[in-house]
Amino acid sequence: MVLPHTPQKAQQLPRTEPDQLWSEPIDSPDYIPRHMKRSAASQFPILEVIQRLLYRLKPMPSGGNLENLLALIGLYQAIHPLYRLLQDLCIRAFTVQVTIPESDPIAKEVLAWMGSEVILTSRTRSAMLVTGGMQDANDNFHRHMMMARGPRIGIDKVDSEVLCLPPIGTRLFWIGFRPFIFSRRGGSSYRNNSVIAGNFVDDSGHLQNSLTIMTLGWSLKPLQDFTTLCHKFKIKNLTGTTTVYFAGGGSGDPYGEGWQSVSKAIRKLDTIDMDEDTKFDLIRDAEYYYSEQSRSFFADCGIPYRRGYLFHGPPGTGKSSFSAALAGHLGCDIYHINLATGSISDGGLHRLFLGLPRKCIVVIEDIDSAGIGREQAPSTTEAPPTAPTLSIGIEGMYGAGMPMHMPRQASGQGRRNMVTLSGLLNAIDGNASQEGRLLIMTSNNPDALDSALIRPGRIDKKVYFGNISTSAGKSIFKRLIGRSALAHDAAFTMAQIEQYASEFADKVPANNFTPAQVQNFLQGCRGDPHQALREIDAWVEENRSATGASGTSETSTSFMSHPAFDPIHGLLDNDSDLDSLMEGEGMA
């Protein structure tokens, strides 16, 4: 008899239906799905090795305690995304924050306050240590800030000094009973973000190379008060210093702002050896420009609140030094722009001027060497066979036979300049240019400058810095030799120093040497009046200019302002002068 074949029932494995939401049935015996345990085991393979060792010591039918550990790890991995989501929701709902690019001046103030008031005064477990002068041009700024904490930071031992700054990461600190969270982000790879123009963010949308300050609440006022506190801390501890900004951050600057800064000791005006009447006139004019009376005058007359100087003369006569001393005297920052580098374009120059504060001094150095000329427009008439040549004075500068207003780079020498004359003029006094700045241009050859660049309204005052005079020679001797001699040798008296200074000034021919040349000689005398008087005659013979004295025919100071505006008193002669002045501004 043949029995019918009955197939054995195969073992049924749990399978996931196509429309099932979870990867394992919810009626499985464990609370933690096995696929989460497997994920934890694959993430920590050492646990499997430990489990095998324990099994050989004491065989167990199941995973034992290590399986419970895998369950805890799997539970953590499941909860962590929810925790991050709730954390982000709480941060957005109950906190306020500000983000500051590290290239911004206020970021430097915040870093200095954090380094001095938080890092150095608490039991911190992390910090960024940098050797003074090796890491950043701003080290001098941070050094002055940390000096407020006491003598632990030796400013005289600059070479071996170590600065303590906040590290990359997050830090909790308290001001009174309010908590703050400080975060510092860094990064070397960036992607451009069209929303944050000129800045760079990471893949999570966070601004790179930036500081973030966060606190509880729904108002930004506590954060504004904190930045004000950092600024007051800077003002308190940086008394006697001037912040000098240099244009040309280049491609290495991820924020595209192009300013690098360094803090320097204020240059006193009495250390500038020049004609005293010219110096006093410039100081008085600049002080009036930043007075309330001047602001009211510009506003009432509808004149753009700007002022410009042209300092011209031979190299080494103190043009840049006086600019720095004037900034220290006025209590404002100074911004240096060198167009001759060829690394600044019209757009970059415009952005530099837009980022200027309302009160500052902008110095465009050696404007004549930048090679900026008037653009050649196509002529509608028949051109002559040969291009007009420069006048005799300009031929010596650019070479004979070159077209009028042709930039120096046209001859193929030097680096191509990316700034055009129209771009420079728009940045200086265009409709979108910043007001409140004091512009200073320096030039060794003002005759090479385009007339549109130095017209009244752009350049209000031209000042000639010439070779050293007899009175200036006496002044520089007393400053470099007299002060040191009186301080280190009690045998010298003030009357003797006055006599030595007069003798020295008589030995130096007037208007023949630059202040830099005389200063270099006196520095080599190391404060010894007798050595200076003994060696000056030989030095004069050795360094006497072959062309002789330059003479005194050069006008030391000339006003370029419109007659309707007195730069000292700000008075109008009559209504007709005001009308002509407004017409002149419109023609610009």
Side-chain angles (χ1 to χ4, degrees):
M1 185 172 90
V2 178
L3 297 176
H5 174 70
T6 303
Q8 294 183 354
K9 188 175 182 180
Q11 183 178 1
Q12 298 293 330
L13 297 176
R15 61 177 182 175
T16 303
E17 298 296 335
D19 58 346
Q20 185 173 336
L21 181 60
W22 313 112
S23 58
E24 294 183 16
I26 60 175
D27 56 353
S28 58
D30 296 331
Y31 289 103
I32 307 299
R34 296 195 65 82
H35 73 88
M36 290 187 179
K37 299 178 183 178
R38 288 193 294 268
S39 175
S42 63
Q43 187 174 0
F44 300 97
I46 188 64
L47 294 178
E48 183 177 357
V49 177
I50 296 175
Q51 180 66 51
R52 290 177 179 272
L53 293 175
L54 293 178
Y55 182 80
R56 281 158 176 78
L57 295 176
K58 184 179 180 180
M60 301 178 64
S62 62
N65 293 331
L66 286 184
E67 186 172 354
N68 295 334
L69 178 60
L70 290 175
L72 291 176
I73 296 175
L75 180 62
Y76 169 79
Q77 292 177 339
I79 294 178
H80 186 258
L82 178 62
Y83 166 75
R84 294 296 301 271
L85 177 61
L86 294 177
Q87 182 186 42
D88 292 341
L89 289 177
C90 291
I91 288 176
R92 294 183 181 182
F94 302 107
T95 65
V96 290
Q97 66 179 15
V98 292
T99 301
I100 311 169
E102 282 199 21
S103 60
D104 193 273
I106 195 173
K108 187 171 61 175
E109 300 173 0
V110 172
L111 283 175
W113 188 91
M114 287 291 300
S116 178
E117 299 296 309
V118 177
I119 302 298
L120 290 181
T121 59
S122 62
R123 295 180 179 177
T124 182
R125 299 178 60 184
S126 63
M128 178 182 292
L129 299 181
V130 294
T131 303
M134 298 292 293
Q135 173 73 12
D136 195 322
N138 296 323
D139 288 345
N140 192 37
F141 175 88
H142 297 299
R143 185 181 301 113
H144 279 85
M145 294 292 97
M146 295 179 191
M147 281 293 292
R149 301 308 312 170
R152 288 182 293 172
I153 303 296
I155 194 169
D156 295 330
K157 300 179 180 179
V158 176
D159 295 335
S160 59
E161 178 182 345
V162 175
L163 303 179
C164 190
L165 300 177
I168 302 295
T170 302
R171 173 87 188 195
L172 173 67
F173 65 96
W174 294 75
I175 298 181
F177 296 100
R178 175 176 288 276
F180 289 84
I181 295 179
F182 168 87
S183 299
R184 186 180 186 185
R185 294 188 181 92
S188 57
S189 60
Y190 313 93
R191 62 180 178 88
N192 201 349
N193 185 296
S194 58
V195 177
I196 309 176
N199 291 336
F200 294 82
V201 297
D202 58 15
D203 293 334
S204 61
H206 294 134
L207 191 65
Q208 291 292 287
N209 286 352
S210 64
L211 310 179
T212 300
I213 313 296
M214 182 188 308
T215 189
L216 295 174
W218 294 277
S219 172
L220 288 174
K221 188 176 185 306
L223 297 177
Q224 293 173 343
D225 294 340
F226 172 71
T227 56
T228 302
L229 173 66
C230 296
H231 182 69
K232 290 181 178 179
F233 181 77
K234 168 201 167 184
I235 298 300
K236 176 182 177 181
N237 296 283
L238 265 189
T239 302
T241 62
T242 301
T243 303
V244 183
Y245 292 87
F246 300 92
S251 59
D253 179 13
Y255 301 98
E257 297 183 357
W259 290 113
Q260 296 176 334
S261 64
V262 61
S263 297
K264 296 184 177 181
I266 289 179
R267 179 76 182 265
K268 296 182 179 180
L269 285 168
D270 60 2
T271 64
I272 306 299
D273 302 292
M274 58 182 294
D275 182 75
E276 290 298 325
D277 293 336
T278 303
K279 182 194 297 186
F280 174 76
D281 180 66
L282 276 171
I283 296 171
R284 184 177 59 168
D285 183 77
E287 289 175 342
Y288 170 76
Y289 172 67
Y290 280 122
S291 66
E292 290 297 330
Q293 180 185 0
S294 174
R295 291 189 181 93
S296 301
F297 170 79
F298 277 86
D300 293 342
C301 297
I303 304 173
Y305 186 51
R306 307 186 190 101
R307 192 138 183 88
Y309 299 155
L310 175 64
F311 293 169
H312 62 98
T317 52
K319 298 182 290 294
S320 298
S321 298
F322 181 81
S323 302
L326 185 62
H329 177 75
L330 297 175
C332 61
D333 298 334
I334 184 169
Y335 292 75
H336 283 268
I337 302 176
N338 189 356
L339 300 179
T341 60
S343 61
I344 304 176
S345 62
D346 283 348
L349 183 64
H350 185 65
R351 287 191 295 271
L352 289 174
F353 270 82
L354 285 179
L356 295 173
R358 284 192 58 85
K359 182 180 180 181
C360 67
I361 291 181
V362 184
V363 179
I364 302 181
E365 297 181 293
D366 298 328
I367 185 67
D368 55 307
S369 64
I372 299 176
R374 189 182 298 268
E375 298 83 354
Q376 295 294 322
S379 177
T380 57
T381 60
E382 183 179 357
T386 58
T389 58
L390 298 171
S391 61
I392 296 177
I394 309 298
E395 282 181 2
M397 185 70 181
Y398 292 143
M402 292 187 63
M404 185 69 72
H405 304 298
M406 183 65 69
R408 181 180 303 183
Q409 280 72 12
S411 62
Q413 300 178 356
R415 186 174 180 178
R416 179 180 179 271
N417 200 295
M418 301 174 64
V419 177
T420 63
L421 179 62
S422 60
L424 177 59
L425 299 182
N426 286 330
I428 290 176
D429 62 356
N431 291 330
S433 62
Q434 180 65 279
E435 295 190 0
R437 89 292 181 276
L438 177 61
L439 175 65
I440 296 177
M441 297 184 189
T442 67
S443 172
N444 298 330
N445 185 10
D447 294 333
L449 301 179
D450 193 284
S451 58
L453 184 62
I454 58 176
R455 69 153 176 83
R458 292 192 176 108
I459 296 299
D460 303 293
K461 194 169 188 178
K462 297 201 301 183
V463 181
Y464 175 72
F465 283 70
N467 291 332
I468 196 166
S469 63
T470 301
S471 60
K474 184 177 180 179
S475 173
I476 195 173
F477 181 91
K478 290 191 292 184
R479 177 170 63 89
L480 297 179
I481 300 295
R483 292 180 183 178
S484 178
L486 291 174
H488 298 93
D489 193 339
F492 292 104
T493 63
M494 192 62 198
Q496 287 179 311
I497 296 300
E498 288 284 350
Q499 179 182 354
Y500 293 154
S502 300
E503 294 179 11
F504 177 83
D506 293 337
K507 291 175 178 289
V508 178
N511 302 307
N512 201 19
F513 298 102
T514 66
Q517 288 177 295
V518 179
Q519 177 174 296
N520 182 263
F521 166 76
L522 292 177
Q523 284 178 333
C525 297
R526 302 182 182 276
D528 186 352
H530 300 298
Q531 180 183 352
L533 293 175
R534 185 172 59 252
E535 298 179 358
I536 185 60
D537 292 329
W539 181 87
V540 168
E541 289 299 326
E542 182 181 354
N543 295 274
R544 185 184 294 273
S545 174
T547 58
S550 60
T552 58
S553 58
E554 179 73 41
T555 303
S556 62
T557 306
S558 62
F559 283 92
M560 301 292 295
S561 303
H562 193 279
F565 173 60
D566 183 344
I568 304 302
H569 302 94
L571 301 178
L572 291 173
D573 294 336
N574 49 51
D575 293 339
S576 62
D577 287 343
L578 175 60
D579 295 337
S580 62
L581 175 60
M582 299 304 294
E583 291 176 2
E585 290 292 331
M587 293 175 62

